[in-house]
Amino acid sequence: MANPHPHHHDPITAATLELLKKHDPAIADLIAKEADRQATTIELIASENHVSAAVMHAMGTCLTNKYAEGYPGARYYGGCVFHDQIEDLARQRACQLFGCRFANVQPHSGAQANTAAMMSLMEAGDTFASLVLKDGGHLSHGMKINFSGRFYKPVHYPLHYAKDHPEHERIDYDAVKAVCREHKPKVVMCGYSAYPRVIDFKKFREAADEVGAILVADIAHIAGLVAAGVHPSPFPHAHVVTTTTHKTLRGPRGGLIMTNDEELAKKIDRNVFPGVQGGPLMHVIGSKAVAFGEALKPEFKTYCQQVVKNAKALAEALVKLGYRITSGGTDNHLMLVDLRQRSEKLTGADAEKWLEMAGIICNKNGIPDDPRPPKLTSGVRLGSPATTTRGFKEDQMRQIASWIDRVLGAGLESPETLESETKRVREEVRSLCSTFPLPA
Ligand SMILES: *Cc1c(COP(=O)(O)O)cnc(C)c1O
């Protein structure tokens, strides 16, 4: 049966499935199953969200048919009159949302945005400073096998690792300056994938200015919070800001690059196209415009405020249950849970697997100074963007904490206990999800 729980599906997916059932039953069946998975499980992956039906719908349109290489008013193909207007609207809304002068909405993803930004600011072999992946950075910030680590020379600044330091597991801003003085990087990257605290962009700019470096803020994770004023803005401190559009910003999958500098903006445009990409994904750009429009509304600010409140509620509840949250808590939408506090035996890999059995979806994640390898880890990363979109408030987050502890406790006890307890929790999760349907 292609559609076991039709009432769970948002109307866009449901309408698409009606069509696909006849046209391509194999794919229809798999999309229906995925729609059901999303509807009936709790999504705690910090980089994920549930988009509105409008954002989703805009992607599934005829805009996908068009080649629009180039930029509004300067395309390499005819027939772009409406595409010019759509891309202009997307750019204008992005600038309004983030309070900047220039935006390039064409990057296919966050990593592509970083590729184009780096190509605009560095020559092959140049040095840049960033946080290393294992401390919460991103693979596009200098991982060895990524382009950023193959074609440039990354140097990394540290966190405070000493347990008794008051800023334990937070960025060591003095060390950022020291790393800059020692290596004279062309670019300093800030902005992370697993960092639960406010980023002080002003301090980063001071460190960059001392050595004449360009500051790039990659706000992929916190873009929504920045747009809503719930996290300080990287402007005016960062010279260039890159981001994804699909995390807290709650748009379609994609990237975005912004700046206030006209010369840099021209370089960035050339490096996105034809530097790293061909034709833009106009159906995604249309959807980005819709998402930016939504993020400009007052409701989005309320949403982001609740995202932060929900993350805090989850973190506090986990602490009460005996878990350690790295850096002692969270200021944003995510947290890293140090599982060793609950039991030395507990790994991130086990926790991720056991929680999924109960319908709670998250990812294992290294914690600062993690003695375990990335395939095992001592932590899980939990985020509140997707559950907040569903309408969860602090009470539901506390309920999730208690489910997490029941599942992990059962897993530590025995495989049999794990099996029976995850069955029970799975049903409770399903029941809660049915009273908080996905956006339609
Ligand atoms: C998610 C993320 C990206 C990359 O996003 P993709 O769209 O997956 O390429 C870049 N930088 C940071 C900090 C991220 O968290």
Side-chain angles (χ1 to χ4, degrees):
M1 196 164 71
N3 195 350
H5 298 285
H7 58 283
H8 285 317
H9 297 158
D10 61 273
I12 305 312
T13 304
T16 306
L17 284 175
E18 266 319 294
L19 178 82
L20 272 179
K21 257 195 286 191
K22 292 179 213 103
H23 194 79
D24 191 331
I27 288 296
D29 182 54
L30 291 168
I31 296 176
K33 284 175 175 154
E34 170 60 9
D36 192 57
R37 185 192 70 82
Q38 291 186 18
T40 64
T41 57
I42 290 173
E43 186 53 73
L44 295 178
I45 295 177
S47 50
E48 293 187 14
N49 214 327
H50 302 289
V51 299
S52 72
V55 166
M56 208 186 292
H57 211 5
M59 277 184 279
T61 62
C62 63
L63 296 183
T64 195
N65 292 337
K66 191 77 196 88
Y67 248 114
E69 280 181 355
Y71 291 97
R75 304 281 191 186
Y76 289 83
Y77 291 83
C80 285
V81 53
F82 303 116
H83 295 270
D84 282 5
Q85 292 173 49
I86 287 166
E87 187 167 346
D88 269 334
L89 260 179
R91 294 199 294 199
Q92 282 162 22
R93 288 178 186 176
C95 288
Q96 194 186 341
L97 195 55
F98 290 96
C100 64
R101 291 180 62 210
F102 305 99
N104 187 309
V105 296
Q106 291 194 5
H108 301 335
S109 73
Q112 295 280 84
N114 284 337
T115 311
M118 286 183 183
M119 281 177 61
S120 308
L121 303 171
M122 290 188 282
E123 295 302 324
D126 281 347
T127 299
F128 71 97
S130 66
L131 188 68
V132 73
L133 182 64
K134 69 170 189 57
D135 281 346
H138 189 257
L139 56 93
S140 62
H141 297 188
M143 187 194 196
K144 249 200 183 81
I145 59 167
N146 183 258
F147 86 97
S148 55
R150 286 179 63 184
F151 302 123
Y152 306 108
K153 190 170 165 282
V155 292
H156 298 299
Y157 51 80
L159 305 173
H160 288 289
Y161 303 111
K163 281 203 173 71
D164 55 354
H165 197 283
E167 300 274 291
H168 182 214
E169 295 168 329
R170 300 183 194 213
I171 292 159
D172 181 344
Y173 290 97
D174 292 330
V176 173
K177 281 193 178 167
V179 165
C180 287
R181 281 182 208 131
E182 184 184 343
H183 297 281
K184 306 276 186 303
K186 271 244 178 93
V187 167
V188 176
M189 300 279 304
C190 62
Y192 315 102
S193 302
Y195 187 70
R197 294 301 184 173
V198 165
I199 301 164
D200 193 331
F201 297 114
K202 188 162 177 279
K203 282 191 184 156
F204 271 107
R205 177 60 182 264
E206 285 163 15
D209 276 350
E210 263 194 32
V211 295
I214 299 280
L215 180 62
V216 178
D218 174 355
I219 59 167
H221 258 264
I222 54 172
L225 307 184
V226 167
V230 172
H231 186 290
S233 172
F235 291 115
H237 309 296
H239 298 92
V240 175
V241 174
T242 62
T243 183
T244 62
T245 48
H246 49 272
K247 298 179 183 177
T248 50
L249 194 50
R250 212 163 63 181
R253 307 198 77 74
L256 168 67
I257 310 177
M258 295 167 286
T259 184
N260 282 323
D261 182 311
E262 192 162 4
E263 286 312 304
L264 274 182
K266 283 183 192 154
K267 271 194 190 172
I268 289 163
D269 283 353
R270 277 200 303 277
N271 279 289
V272 172
F273 170 84
V276 296
Q277 293 184 177
L281 310 175
M282 289 309 302
H283 57 308
V284 176
I285 290 175
S287 180
K288 283 174 180 171
V290 174
F292 299 156
E294 288 180 1
L296 283 163
K297 292 186 181 154
E299 298 90 283
F300 189 75
K301 190 182 175 83
T302 315
Y303 161 69
C304 285
Q305 287 166 338
Q306 191 64 46
V307 164
V308 174
K309 285 189 211 164
N310 280 354
K312 278 196 201 320
L314 180 57
E316 279 162 19
L318 286 168
V319 166
K320 278 198 187 136
L321 290 164
Y323 296 83
R324 191 180 80 87
I325 305 296
T326 70
S327 83
T330 176
D331 301 325
N332 59 23
H333 63 298
L334 69 79
M335 70 211 68
L336 286 174
V337 186
D338 181 353
L339 301 162
R340 295 169 304 179
Q341 182 100 349
R342 178 71 166 73
S343 162
E344 266 303 327
K345 285 190 298 189
L346 199 51
T347 67
D350 277 340
E352 177 189 314
K353 196 171 61 195
W354 297 346
L355 289 168
E356 181 160 2
M357 290 166 71
I360 297 170
I361 314 298
C362 69
N363 64 281
K364 61 179 175 292
N365 210 107
I367 56 172
D369 232 358
D370 200 326
R372 290 185 174 129
K375 282 197 173 142
L376 227 47
T377 80
S378 302
V380 286
R381 186 184 65 165
L382 306 179
S384 58
T387 49
T388 307
T389 292
R390 280 195 104 116
F392 284 13
K393 295 257 165 48
E394 289 90 331
D395 276 348
Q396 287 75 39
M397 301 314 280
R398 287 188 277 268
Q399 174 65 68
I400 292 171
S402 132
W403 281 329
I404 289 174
D405 189 54
R406 273 169 60 191
V407 170
L408 299 185
L412 284 166
E413 220 161 278
S414 72
E416 296 72 36
T417 317
L418 177 66
E419 172 120 18
S420 56
E421 192 63 11
T422 49
K423 268 207 188 99
R424 273 194 292 273
V425 174
R426 181 72 193 94
E427 283 320 302
E428 292 174 35
V429 164
R430 199 184 284 282
S431 155
L432 181 70
C433 286
S434 71
T435 55
F436 289 89
L438 295 182

